[in-house]
């Protein structure tokens, strides 16, 4: 922690005192005007630096919330697998964060935002800022890294109990180092062909994606679908070890509903950084209200999804079996579906 020494406190002077010292002591009208001008300029500079600091802190805080979602995914996945596979699943979630940080640091951010230039030519990927060279806003990198790690972790659940560790590490690094950055560049970079931030956006509007509904969630979901198709079902789920089809699929229930619900709550909490934090700046007029509205919508989406899924399942079960039961797993999955939407 940086501490301010007594000497530093003594040396600190107010804007007024600094301008008085700089002005000549003649007391003329011109001197008074110069002093007022000095105060105005100094105040503007101080306000600008304060705004930059507030926005940087806001991004770091939002990035921290998004990164906490890694813990939510880890708990959710750990509770959804059999107890013998918990360590394997948790390690994969940890590798997501590690692989994403290295991949996005070395080439991912450069491919996504390198050479961003308003009014410049449309490009496929960025071509500068590798290893964060010449990057000024480190808070923005941290926020984008948290998004990249989330895109990679979405796939973790579909690969649970069916993917080798080495292959998973390569997948995580490749997705966050190349696949995801290419999509980010297309949609969020000022030089992407789908970007709404282009000087002349596609069809007059470009693709508007405020908080990554397409860039993050669709990318992760599509990757998960492809991975599931390639790997196939878990051994023993639909076929025995000799490849013979089972008469009835063998259930593989998760070993801890408590961990699943804990993961869902952590993800809900982290989603406030995901959605409200996507405004990126809070000092600009109206941005605070937009961030607040995003947080309110996040809350209502989670609650509505939970209640809708719970009662939909209740009605279906009651019609089929004649017995009305409340299903916790359906409820928290509805909550997560509402958050994603």
């Amino acid at each position: 922690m940086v501490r301010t020494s007594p000497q530093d406190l003594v040396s600190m002077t107010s804007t007024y005192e600094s301008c008085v010292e700089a002005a000549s002591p003649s007391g003329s009208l011109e001197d008074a005007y110069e002093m007022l001008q000095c105060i105005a300029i100094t105040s503007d500079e101080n306000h600008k630096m304060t705004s930059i600091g507030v926005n940087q802190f806001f991004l770091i805080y939002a990035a921290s919330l998004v990164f906490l979602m890694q813990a939510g995914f880890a708990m959710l996945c750990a509770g959804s697998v059999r107890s013998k596979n918990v360590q394997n699943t948790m390690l994969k979630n940890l590798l997501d964060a590690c692989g994403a940080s290295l991949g996005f640091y070395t080439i991912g951010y450069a491919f996504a935002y390198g050479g961003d230039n308003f009014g410049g030519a449309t490009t496929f990927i960025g071509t500068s800022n590798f290893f964060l060279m010449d990057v000024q806003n480190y808070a923005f990198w941290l926020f984008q890294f948290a998004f990249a790690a989330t895109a990679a972790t979405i796939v973790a659940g579909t690969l649970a109990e069916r993917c080798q560790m080495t292959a998973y590490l390569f997948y995580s690094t490749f997705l966050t180092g190349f696949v995801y950055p290419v999509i980010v560049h297309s949609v969020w970079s000022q030089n992407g062909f789908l970007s709404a931030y282009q000087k002349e956006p596609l069809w007059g509007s470009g693709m508007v994606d405020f908080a990554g509904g397409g860039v993050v969630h669709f990318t992760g979901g599509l990757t998960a679908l492809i991975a599931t198709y390639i790997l196939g079902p878990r051994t023993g789920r639909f076929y025995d070890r000799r490849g013979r089809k089972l008469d009835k699929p063998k259930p593989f229930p998760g070993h801890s509903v408590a961990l699943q619900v804990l993961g869902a709550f952590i993800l809900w909490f982290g989603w406030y950084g995901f959605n409200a934090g996507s405004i990126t700046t809070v000092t600009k007029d109206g941005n605070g209200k937009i961030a607040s509205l995003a947080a309110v919508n996040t809350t209502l989406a989670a609650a509505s999804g939970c209640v809708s899924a719970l009662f939909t399942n209740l009605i279906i079960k009651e019609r089929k079996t004649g017995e009305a039961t409340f299903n916790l797993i359906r409820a928290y999955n509805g909550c997560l579906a509402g958050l994603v939407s």
Side-chain angles (χ1 to χ4, degrees):
M1 182 173 63
V2 179
R3 297 183 181 274
T4 304
S5 65
Q7 292 80 5
D8 292 332
L9 291 173
V10 171
S11 63
M12 289 180 184
T13 57
S14 66
T15 300
Y16 173 76
E17 291 170 343
S18 300
C19 291
V20 167
E21 291 176 2
S24 62
S26 63
S28 64
L29 212 63
E30 290 79 5
D31 292 336
Y33 174 76
E34 288 181 5
M35 187 177 73
L36 291 174
Q37 190 177 34
C38 172
I39 292 173
I41 293 173
T42 307
S43 297
D44 287 342
E45 290 176 353
N46 290 340
H47 180 266
K48 180 180 179 181
M49 295 304 297
T50 301
S51 296
I52 292 173
V54 169
N55 289 330
Q56 296 261 316
F57 178 79
F58 174 74
L59 268 183
I60 293 171
Y61 177 68
S64 301
L65 290 180
V66 177
F67 186 74
L68 184 62
M69 294 175 75
Q70 297 294 321
F73 281 117
M75 294 298 100
L76 183 62
C77 290
S80 299
V81 300
R82 291 165 290 178
S83 57
K84 67 176 183 178
N85 293 316
V86 170
Q87 289 193 36
N88 180 277
T89 300
M90 297 284 277
L91 182 56
K92 287 176 181 176
N93 280 272
L94 180 61
L95 290 178
D96 273 329
C98 297
S101 62
L102 295 176
F104 207 66
Y105 165 72
T106 53
I107 59 175
Y109 183 83
F111 287 159
Y113 292 103
D116 230 13
N117 179 26
F118 181 73
T122 299
T123 54
F124 174 63
I125 54 176
T127 55
S128 60
N129 302 132
F130 294 97
F131 294 90
L132 296 187
M133 290 187 292
D134 300 322
V135 171
Q136 302 297 324
N137 193 346
Y138 292 117
F140 183 72
W141 176 87
L142 186 68
F143 187 64
Q144 292 300 323
F145 145 72
F147 269 48
T150 302
T153 312
I154 290 172
V155 188
T158 58
L159 302 185
E161 301 184 314
R162 70 187 80 181
C163 180
Q164 293 183 352
M165 198 62 62
T166 305
Y168 191 84
L169 178 59
F170 277 109
Y171 139 77
S172 181
T173 306
F174 181 69
L175 181 76
T176 55
F178 182 74
V179 178
Y180 174 77
V182 170
I183 298 170
V184 170
H185 185 84
S186 301
V187 179
W188 284 339
S189 169
Q190 294 179 352
N191 305 115
F193 79 100
L194 292 174
S195 177
Y197 307 108
Q198 272 217 20
K199 188 175 182 180
E200 296 181 2
L202 184 69
W203 297 324
S205 63
M207 178 179 173
V208 179
D209 188 348
F210 178 73
V215 174
V216 179
H217 298 298
F218 181 75
T219 301
L222 184 60
T223 304
L225 179 63
I226 296 171
T228 303
Y229 177 78
I230 294 174
L231 293 175
R234 288 172 287 182
T235 302
R237 179 81 167 92
F238 299 102
Y239 300 87
D240 62 19
R241 294 189 178 275
R242 295 184 178 181
R244 293 175 298 189
K245 188 174 182 179
L246 300 175
D247 296 331
K248 187 177 180 181
K250 184 178 180 180
F252 285 168
H255 84 285
S256 175
V257 177
L259 285 179
Q260 296 174 40
V261 175
L262 175 62
F265 270 116
I266 295 174
L267 287 171
W268 186 345
F269 180 71
W271 235 290
Y272 290 112
F274 210 109
N275 291 345
S278 292
I279 197 67
T280 67
T281 60
V282 290
T283 56
K284 187 178 178 181
D285 289 344
N287 278 13
K289 185 175 181 180
I290 295 173
S292 301
L293 179 60
V296 170
N297 287 339
T298 301
T299 304
L300 297 178
S304 301
C306 176
V307 173
S308 299
L310 180 66
F311 281 97
T312 300
N313 180 75
L314 176 73
I315 294 170
I316 293 174
K317 284 290 184 182
E318 194 274 333
R319 293 290 178 87
K320 285 185 175 181
T321 64
E323 182 180 355
T325 56
F326 291 97
N327 191 299
L328 176 59
I329 295 177
R330 295 289 185 271
Y332 84 71
N333 273 293
C335 175
L336 295 178
L339 289 166
V340 171
S341 67

